[in-house]
Amino acid sequence: MDEKKLIEQKIFNDTSSYQNIMNIPHQHSKRHLPMNQMDRASQFAPFGALEGFKDLIKEKSDLYIRKKYTSAEDEIKIKQQLKYLQEHHLLVDVNYFNDESGYYEHLKGFLQKIDWKKGKVYFEENSVVILNIRSIKLKNP
């Protein structure tokens, strides 16, 4: 047995300090009735909210398998392009990762607004998370 197991066994299996109370019979309350099984089980109901959470995380992570994360240099380049597009109203083709479908998609349009705090770029009808953008190319109108 390894040292960790021996220490755990010594700590958790040593009941010598509890010998004085080991054989005392359980005393039932004179004021309160014993809790029924259903009420006892409902104490743990809040943890039921987490049921299915593992499956949800797995489902979402499966979508992100195809995502290629950009390098720091590419992120800087994309942010510079976005700042340029704020000043110049140009038609662009944005290649971005759609986190709902799990695939890369193209979006053609004019930049409307950038929300740096939320990390989103808004076009005519769509919004894209800045970190999901792979590339921005200018298009001829």
Side-chain angles (χ1 to χ4, degrees), residues 17 24-25 27 53 57-58 62 65 76 86 90 100 104 120-121 126-127 129 134-135:
S17 58
I24 297 175
Q27 294 181 351
F53 191 63
I57 291 173
K58 171 91 171 92
D62 287 346
I65 287 175
I76 291 169
Q86 270 184 313
L90 299 170
E100 290 180 18
Y104 279 92
K120 282 191 155 193
V121 179
N126 299 321
S127 65
V129 176
R134 183 163 42 180
S135 65

Side-chain angles (χ1 to χ4, degrees), residues 2 7 11 15 21-22 42 46 52-55 64-65 69 75 79 84 88 92 101 109 114 116 129:
D2 66 341
I7 293 170
I11 291 172
T15 59
I21 62 171
M22 290 296 268
S42 68
F53 191 63
K54 185 177 180 181
D55 295 335
Y64 276 80
I65 287 175
Y69 292 90
E75 283 183 33
K79 287 180 181 178
Y84 179 81
H88 303 87
V92 291
S101 69
I114 300 175
W116 294 107
V129 176

Side-chain angles (χ1 to χ4, degrees), residues 104-128:
Y104 279 92
E105 297 179 5
H106 286 272
L107 170 72
K108 293 179 181 133
F110 293 95
L111 177 72
Q112 299 296 318
K113 176 178 118 174
I114 300 175
D115 189 339
W116 294 107
K117 287 183 181 178
K118 289 183 180 179
K120 282 191 155 193
V121 179
Y122 296 89
F123 293 90
E124 289 94 7
E125 297 175 10
N126 299 321
S127 65
V128 176

Side-chain angles (χ1 to χ4, degrees), residues 4-51:
K4 183 179 176 186
K5 292 270 186 200
L6 288 171
I7 293 170
E8 285 178 2
Q9 190 174 23
K10 183 179 179 188
I11 291 172
F12 297 115
N13 292 340
D14 182 18
T15 59
S16 60
S17 58
Y18 302 105
Q19 287 302 318
N20 60 339
I21 62 171
M22 290 296 268
N23 296 322
I24 297 175
H26 176 68
Q27 294 181 351
H28 296 282
S29 173
K30 294 175 184 171
R31 293 184 183 177
H32 303 286
L33 292 173
M35 185 182 287
N36 68 38
Q37 291 261 322
M38 195 64 177
D39 290 341
R40 189 178 303 263
S42 68
Q43 291 181 34
F44 301 100
F47 295 103
L50 299 176
E51 195 168 310

